[in-house]
Amino acid sequence: MIYSVLLAFVGLASKATAACSRELLQEATAAYLQAQAAGEPAISILSSDVSYIENDAPVDITTGVLSQPVTIDFNRSLHDTTQCATFTEISAATNEHPYVIHTRMIFTDDKITTIQSVVADSGDWAFNATGHLYWNQQEKWDPIPEDQRDTREVIQAAGDAYLDSWSDGNVKVPYGTPCARLEGGSYTGGASPTANTCYMPVFPVDFTITNRRYVIDEEVGGLDIFNDFPFIETTKPDGTPSTNFIRVEGGLIRYIHENTVCATRNCGR
């Protein structure tokens, strides 16, 4: 709880200095997708000293996944005008090497200064790019009417509650009905599309999910939380690169997408 409050305070403090236009972020997202499809990382508004990170490790941008042409079958994005950041989810099921890629970009003075990606492929947690693409395309993430949009604080609190509940059964998560979770390529809402199938039981060990990095878009009720997921990877008990991409409607969670990278096949499980 203290962690969430501190993050919220930092977010509020950054509003005065980080705000930028939605148009800039949309154009940058389009440029990023074009660069990924072509395997040409030289995006025009890239800072000369951009920090490029894949799966929590610094990588040369000219040799990372952004330098590889990738067939993009489907994508969704968030545009955070308060923090001057974007988030993009890529489903690349028909690519020669299938991927699911979650990317966060941070801007300073209208330049991309940080690109962080969680790049999942065969052997990562519940990975199935074909399933991910199929179920993703069934969902509706339309813009929410302005008078019905949740605040940033409500959206972030919903996501934090979801992550906190994994190790604390007393945390009340604002699940909606229906609610569906896409974990790798596995979808909880297939058999019961009108039910809440997002519930996560408490894990058998105590842990705290740290290093949370947020992108929030009130227009679509969207939130992504980059984080270090403890427990799941048997060789990395302190955490493995993971993201949770969440849609909130009327204060309640509607969709959750998890993308988690493993050091060993299926995280050793």
Side-chain angles (χ1 to χ4, degrees):
M1 180 61 71
I2 292 175
Y3 182 87
S4 300
V5 170
L6 287 173
L7 264 293
F9 176 79
V10 171
L12 289 171
S14 68
K15 285 184 179 180
T17 58
C20 57
S21 74
R22 193 171 188 85
E23 291 73 22
L24 168 71
L25 300 180
Q26 289 173 329
E27 290 171 5
T29 297
Y32 162 71
L33 288 167
Q34 184 177 9
Q36 184 63 86
E40 297 286 349
I43 303 170
S44 61
I45 62 170
L46 205 63
S47 172
S48 60
D49 59 349
V50 63
S51 170
Y52 183 75
I53 299 169
E54 287 183 10
N55 298 339
D56 285 353
V59 175
D60 185 336
I61 196 170
T62 64
T63 61
V65 73
L66 191 55
S67 69
Q68 304 171 22
V70 170
T71 301
I72 299 173
D73 299 303
F74 193 73
N75 68 89
R76 297 186 192 277
S77 291
L78 303 178
H79 304 99
D80 188 333
T81 58
T82 299
Q83 295 189 103
C84 220
T86 66
F87 166 79
T88 298
E89 177 182 62
I90 291 174
S91 293
T94 64
N95 193 57
E96 183 177 358
H97 183 130
Y99 288 113
V100 173
I101 303 172
H102 283 190
T103 294
R104 173 179 178 256
M105 298 195 297
I106 302 171
F107 298 72
T108 303
D109 297 329
D110 295 345
K111 294 286 187 180
I112 302 169
T113 51
T114 300
I115 300 177
Q116 298 176 332
S117 294
V118 171
V119 182
D121 60 5
S122 179
D124 287 322
W125 181 250
F127 184 82
N128 182 326
T130 301
H132 186 275
L133 173 63
Y134 174 79
W135 291 112
N136 206 347
Q137 289 177 317
Q138 311 308 308
E139 296 181 349
K140 291 187 64 177
W141 291 62
D142 297 338
I144 295 171
E146 190 168 359
D147 63 348
Q148 298 175 30
R149 292 175 190 169
D150 292 304
T151 64
R152 297 177 61 82
E153 292 75 19
V154 166
I155 294 168
Q156 179 175 326
D160 278 331
Y162 173 66
L163 295 187
D164 292 342
S165 73
W166 296 1
S167 60
D168 184 351
N170 293 317
V171 175
K172 185 176 181 180
V173 183
Y175 293 120
T177 302
C179 181
R181 188 175 73 249
L182 179 57
E183 192 168 327
S186 177
Y187 200 61
T188 64
S192 303
T194 62
N196 166 24
T197 59
C198 289
Y199 173 75
M200 284 283 287
V202 176
F203 283 75
V205 296
D206 185 43
F207 60 78
T208 300
I209 298 176
T210 60
N211 197 22
R212 302 185 191 188
R213 290 142 286 163
Y214 304 86
V215 177
I216 301 170
D217 185 343
E218 301 96 320
E219 185 171 302
V220 295
L223 162 72
D224 188 79
I225 308 176
F226 272 60
N227 64 87
D228 295 335
F229 182 7
F231 171 75
I232 193 69
E233 166 58 58
T234 56
T235 67
K236 298 179 70 175
D238 293 332
T240 191
S242 182
T243 80
N244 285 267
F245 181 27
I246 297 169
R247 160 93 165 187
V248 177
E249 301 174 355
L252 304 176
I253 297 175
R254 177 64 183 90
Y255 299 119
I256 303 169
H257 296 182
E258 181 185 322
N259 200 35
T260 297
V261 171
C262 298
T264 55
R265 186 166 187 83
N266 211 37
C267 293
R269 300 186 181 277

